Amino acid sequence: MLEGLLPADVVVVELFADPASVELFPQEAELVAQSVDKRRREFATVRLCARTALARLGHAPGPIVPLQEGPAWARRAPRWPDGIVGSMTHCDGYRAAAVARSSQVASVGVDAEPNAPVPDGVREMVTLPEERATLDRLALSHPDVAWDRMLFSAKESVFKAWFPLTGRWLDFTDCVVTPDPDNGTFTGELKVPGPVVGGVRLDGFTGHWRTVTADDGARLVATAVVVGRAAS
């Protein structure tokens, strides 16, 4: 689903089912020791994806644990090996990781969601009035996509790309997402000062999105944002 959406500098590994067993490092196993089986399986599989991707960049297997630094909302962000940027995502029926060398890519954010409407009340929480007008228009012209969920996913990917560059929170209302339904792209215009990359302050992010129907019939949507070292 994410394969082919990101540039060649970014290694993507994705799985649509959990393996029978995945060996975790002790530091990782401790984090989900009290979790339900579903949570343990998605946690383990997404780390298998990440380790497989890191191996393709020449990194030996190692634990992938949260930062455990800063405010509460930042503490769960993954701690990547030195010289690596990356992002992980999981939802029912899908797990994926994307990693790259920090010498080539400044940051990456990926997210996957069910291609189904967001729960009641969530749309108003995560969208701005101008975005809701766009969603209503797209729902009529392209009804096969749950556009509110696609937009939610895009904002998640934007935040995952934003945070390593800034260390700051980005609210859902701090970014205006505009999907392009025909080219599978989107823009995320920032309403707050953006990070400086390559000597240039970014006023927004660009990304890609895709919907798929998995072999088990699950309808999914994925989004991805990559910030290159040379800002364009």
Side-chain angles (χ1 to χ4, degrees), residues 72-158:
W73 54 263
R75 296 174 66 82
R76 292 179 61 186
R79 184 187 299 277
W80 296 103
D82 290 344
I84 293 293
V85 296
S87 181
M88 298 186 292
T89 187
H90 56 75
C91 67
D92 286 347
Y94 184 74
R95 292 61 164 110
V99 299
R101 294 184 177 89
S102 58
S103 59
Q104 298 172 313
V105 171
S107 68
V108 57
V110 297
D111 185 73
E113 304 283 340
N115 184 17
V118 296
D120 290 345
V122 172
R123 173 174 147 143
E124 287 68 29
M125 292 173 55
V126 303
T127 61
L128 294 157
E130 58 264 46
E131 292 174 321
R132 291 194 282 275
T134 299
L135 295 181
D136 291 341
R137 185 177 69 252
L138 290 173
L140 294 174
S141 62
H142 297 75
D144 290 339
V145 179
W147 290 105
D148 53 0
R149 186 76 72 159
M150 179 269 153
L151 186 141
F152 173 83
S153 179
K155 290 195 176 188
E156 288 287 298
S157 287
V158 165

